[in-house]
């Protein structure tokens, strides 16, 4: 069996805490590996390595730093299949989807290769008599990222790519459920020429996270995961005077207007609702058809599509989606389906009894479809994070807009329509961070920023895009007077431009 330790100071090291977690292979249900769960002392060792290595890396010119990332991109291409295989085995998503997970991470590293340009400051010549003002961006020092199970390649790269490009040293605490790929990525960064100690991976659970939150030498924390943990990390991290950004859970709505292209809308819902077994923070989990006719047609068209979804082992090559991440999560999702029935929603497709032949111990379930879900129900209010789509019928556009706007989560949202007026109004008014118009999963590309609103995001800067450089650097502003020797006498009044 594989035993995962940590990656500290450029070396793979065994865990010393004596505590381990199980890493499953969801498609078979077997335990694939043991992962070491770090103690506070192991986190401290990683931080000490990072702190010692960071000044030289921060002083390395940005073009050289970018070249390490470029080399990393090349090595990741070389190892693409190996990475995707490990990812699919530990997460459960299909190989094709695992490749997408890796690719969306690499795209942020590509963006970070522009760091010589991105870190440029500003300059004002002659801001006063012989006075010039300029600003510069400098790294924070040692920073940390705490990441979820559902994108074990993409989200670690969203964090360490920009942070390291900016000249910081990084402590990554990936999900203990699928730690294989994050460790492989760290090894590739070392092979690409990153100095030892600049990227450290500490595996662990709450104990490691709390040690990160309490460590005085960690200047910033970027978190992605569920909302209760996001809130916990945000409040405790801020109380420790760190810079913190936390991205949480979601309940993404898709409004289907009566004039929408129904073929396009149904395809979009099937892909965005059930892809990756619904274990995506940008999955569509709520469909809102506007008007009775739209709703009836939508349900009629969705039922056969949900019933014929192809579920299969992650490595099979032709499945629409694979198993869920763990048996515990599968139970939780099935419990939500039972709750929905109790709450009075109409279960039109029930995938709970799906069994994968030859993989009877795997964590599989089929797609589920609820009609007549009401806003007061828990299956509407809470994130299920499984292949379960809830249809909430709205009478009018305003009702649909209000549903998405009033929901406590505000990660992504979409509208499907042929009416430009409605689309524009929706994009302007909806209280959600990322909006799709005839696009079901509006994850912005790497050079824009990604972030949800309301209880989907805590902190004032988004991840990737220009905000990532702002988050991982501090600005210094220099006011200088040349030539030196100018005699103006002592000034007792605050200088102004009056
Ligand atoms: P999670 O909150 O259980 O875990 C996330 C991280 O927090 C992991 O590294 C985990 O070890 C750590 N953690 C878990 N419990 C902790 C505790 N009690 N104290 C301290 N640390 C703890 O999330 P998950 O199940 O791994 O991921 C799925 C969640 O992530 C979903 O809610 C999904 O919507 C969300 N997500 C959000 C985004 C986004 O950008 N908004 C992206 C991906 C996933």
């Amino acid at each position: 069996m594989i035993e995962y330790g940590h990656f500290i100071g450029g070396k793979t090291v065994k865990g010393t805490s004596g505590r381990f977690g199980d890493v499953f292979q969801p498609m078979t249900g077997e335990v694939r590996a043991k992962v070491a769960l770090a103690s506070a002392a192991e986190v401290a060792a990683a931080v000490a390595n990072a702190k010692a290595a960071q000044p030289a890396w921060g002083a390395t010119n940005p073009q050289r730093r970018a070249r390490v990332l470029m080399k990393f991109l090349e090595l990741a291409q070389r190892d693409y299949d190996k990475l995707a295989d490990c990812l699919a085995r530990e997460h459960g998503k299909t190989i094709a989807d695992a490749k997408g997970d890796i690719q969306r991470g690499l795209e942020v590293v590509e963006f970070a290769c522009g760091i010589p340009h991105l870190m440029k400051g500003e300059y004002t010549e002659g801001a006063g008599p012989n006075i010039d003002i300029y600003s510069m961006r400098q790294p924070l020092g040692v920073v940390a990222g705490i990441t979820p199970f559902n994108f074990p390649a993409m989200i670690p790269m969203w964090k360490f790519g920009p942070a390291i490009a900016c000249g910081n040293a990084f402590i990554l605490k990936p999900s203990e459920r699928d730690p294989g790929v994050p460790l492989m990525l760290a090894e590739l960064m070392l092979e690409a020429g990153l100095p030892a100690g600049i990227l450290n991976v500490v595996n662990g659970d709450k104990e490691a996270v709390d040690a990160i939150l309490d460590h005085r030498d960690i200047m910033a924390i970027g978190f992605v995961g569920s909302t209760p943990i996001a809130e916990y990390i945000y409040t405790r991290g801020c109380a420790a005077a760190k810079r913190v950004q936390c991205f949480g859970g979601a309940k993404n709505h898709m409004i289907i207007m009566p004039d929408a292209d129904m073929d396009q809308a149904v395809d979009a819902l099937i892909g965005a609702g059930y892809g990756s077994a619904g274990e995506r923070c940008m999955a569509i989990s709520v469909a809102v058809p506007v008007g009775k006719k739209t709703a009836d047609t939508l349900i009629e068209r969705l039922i056969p599509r949900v019933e014929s979804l192809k579920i299969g082992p992650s490595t099979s090559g032709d499945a629409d989606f694979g198993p869920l991440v763990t048996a515990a999560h599968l139970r939780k999702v099935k419990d939500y389906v039972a709750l929905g029935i109790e709450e009075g929603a109409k279960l039109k497709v029930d995938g709970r009894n799906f069994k994968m032949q030859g993989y009877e111990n795997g964590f599989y379930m089929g797609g589920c479809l609820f009609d007549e879900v009401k806003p007061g129900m828990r299956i509407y209010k809470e994130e299920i994070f499984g292949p379960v789509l809830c249809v909430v019928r709205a009478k009018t556009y305003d009702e649909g807009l209000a549903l998405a706007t009033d929901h406590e989560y505000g990660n992504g949202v979409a509208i499907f329509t042929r009416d430009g007026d409605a689309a524009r109004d929706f994009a302007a008014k909806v209280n959600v961070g990322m909006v799709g118009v005839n696009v079901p999963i509006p994850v912005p590309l790497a050079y824009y920023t990604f972030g949800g609103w309301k209880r989907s995001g805590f902190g004032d800067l988004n991840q990737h895009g220009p905000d990532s450089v702002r988050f991982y650097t501090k600005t210094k502003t220099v006011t200088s007077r040349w030539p030196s020797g100018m005699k103006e006498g002592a000034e007792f009044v605050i200088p102004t431009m009056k």
Side-chain angles (χ1 to χ4, degrees):
M1 185 178 306
I2 303 168
E3 188 179 314
Y4 292 126
H6 313 296
F7 189 78
I8 298 177
K11 291 191 191 78
T12 299
V13 297
K14 280 184 177 284
T16 55
S17 71
R19 292 194 311 123
F20 290 91
D22 286 335
V23 178
F24 292 95
Q25 176 164 273
M27 68 175 173
T28 56
E30 293 160 338
V31 175
R32 169 180 152 90
K34 293 262 168 225
V35 59
L37 303 174
S39 62
E42 289 166 295
V43 171
V47 177
N49 269 278
K51 194 176 176 191
Q54 191 275 329
W57 178 244
T60 301
N61 75 53
Q63 261 177 299
R64 290 219 167 113
R65 296 203 300 262
R67 278 187 205 132
V68 172
L69 296 181
M70 289 176 204
K71 183 70 190 169
F72 167 79
L73 291 171
E74 203 183 302
L75 298 175
Q77 293 299 333
R78 182 196 70 192
D79 289 1
Y80 221 110
D81 289 339
K82 213 162 89 183
L83 289 162
D85 183 76
C86 174
L87 200 159
R89 283 177 193 282
E90 293 185 3
H91 175 283
K93 63 178 75 174
T94 62
I95 293 274
D97 201 28
K99 287 186 173 170
D101 184 332
I102 298 163
Q103 179 59 23
R104 286 305 286 253
L106 293 177
E107 287 171 12
V108 169
V109 178
E110 284 170 4
F111 169 78
C113 289
I115 202 67
H117 174 71
L118 293 166
M119 271 182 84
K120 282 196 298 206
E122 294 165 319
Y123 194 97
T124 303
E125 184 194 10
N130 289 11
I131 287 182
D132 306 323
I133 304 182
Y134 60 97
S135 66
M136 59 180 98
R137 291 195 171 277
Q138 295 190 331
L140 301 177
V142 180
V143 299
I146 300 162
T147 56
F149 83 84
N150 69 322
F151 281 101
M154 180 182 88
I155 296 179
M157 284 192 262
W158 283 11
K159 302 285 177 212
F160 73 66
I164 286 174
C166 289
N168 298 289
F170 201 85
I171 310 291
L172 173 65
K173 205 305 283 169
S175 170
E176 64 276 39
R177 287 185 249 175
D178 43 15
V181 169
L183 286 167
M184 287 161 83
L185 295 174
E187 282 169 15
L188 288 181
M189 285 288 276
L190 188 76
E191 191 184 339
L194 190 72
I198 297 300
L199 175 55
N200 304 275
V201 181
V202 180
N203 283 309
D205 54 6
K206 180 170 167 47
E207 193 171 325
V209 171
D210 286 348
I212 288 171
L213 286 165
D214 292 343
H215 203 297
R216 291 181 67 90
D217 290 335
I218 293 179
M219 310 313 289
I221 299 175
F223 169 87
V224 180
S226 59
T227 289
I229 311 299
E231 196 169 15
Y232 166 71
I233 288 176
Y234 188 71
T235 47
R236 189 158 160 184
C238 289
K242 297 184 194 307
R243 191 179 284 193
V244 191
Q245 57 173 195
C246 293
F247 302 94
K251 199 80 179 176
N252 306 312
H253 294 53
M254 180 169 134
I255 316 296
I256 302 103
M257 295 292 285
D259 66 352
D261 179 321
M262 205 40 100
D263 291 338
Q264 189 192 19
V266 169
D267 279 346
L269 280 172
I270 291 294
Y274 299 95
S276 199
E279 291 173 324
R280 289 182 182 142
C281 69
M282 288 293 276
I284 295 288
S285 46
V286 180
V288 185
V290 174
K292 183 171 182 326
K293 189 160 169 270
T294 317
D296 291 345
T297 314
L298 185 75
I299 289 288
E300 192 187 307
R301 303 271 296 269
L302 279 173
I303 289 173
R305 295 286 301 271
V306 178
E307 283 172 343
S308 58
L309 282 165
K310 195 152 188 219
I311 297 122
S314 320
T315 51
S316 71
D318 64 347
D320 295 327
F321 63 86
L324 277 81
V325 66
T326 56
H329 187 56
L330 176 65
R331 247 189 327 273
K332 183 177 151 193
V333 173
K334 287 186 177 177
D335 286 351
Y336 266 115
V337 178
L339 174 70
I341 298 168
E342 255 172 56
E343 291 183 309
K346 303 274 174 293
L347 186 63
K348 297 288 184 181
V349 183
D350 184 356
R352 284 175 296 172
N353 295 322
F354 175 85
K355 282 272 171 284
M356 189 69 227
Q357 250 193 335
Y359 294 84
E360 282 73 14
N361 295 324
F363 311 139
Y364 299 92
M365 73 178 275
C368 294
L369 176 66
F370 274 114
D371 190 10
E372 296 188 37
V373 174
K374 302 283 183 265
M377 294 177 181
R378 276 183 56 204
I379 58 162
Y380 174 72
K381 293 197 279 198
E382 297 172 17
E383 182 182 48
I384 299 175
F385 223 54
V388 183
L389 181 65
C390 294
V391 175
V392 181
R393 293 168 174 243
K395 288 197 184 67
T396 60
Y397 160 75
D398 285 334
E399 211 181 289
L401 170 66
L403 280 168
T405 299
D406 296 343
H407 201 283
E408 72 168 330
Y409 291 121
N411 213 37
V413 71
I415 185 167
F416 274 61
T417 182
R418 289 186 174 104
D419 178 349
D421 288 358
R424 186 171 186 275
D425 188 73
F426 184 78
K429 289 185 181 156
V430 72
N431 190 13
V432 171
M434 292 170 282
V435 182
V437 176
N438 299 322
V439 170
I441 305 192
V443 175
L445 289 180
Y447 43 96
Y448 283 84
T449 71
F450 178 112
W453 287 9
K454 297 182 279 182
R455 291 179 61 73
S456 294
F458 304 85
D460 50 5
L461 289 171
N462 280 350
Q463 39 191 353
H464 71 61
D467 270 10
S468 60
V469 178
R470 291 184 195 112
F471 183 74
Y472 290 118
T473 56
K474 52 197 172 194
T475 305
K476 186 181 279 178
T477 311
V478 181
T479 305
S480 68
R481 175 183 281 145
W482 296 105
S484 53
M486 284 180 62
K487 307 279 183 296
E488 286 191 340
E491 182 66 81
F492 293 99
V493 177
I494 185 164
T496 70
M497 282 292 128
K498 195 159 180 200

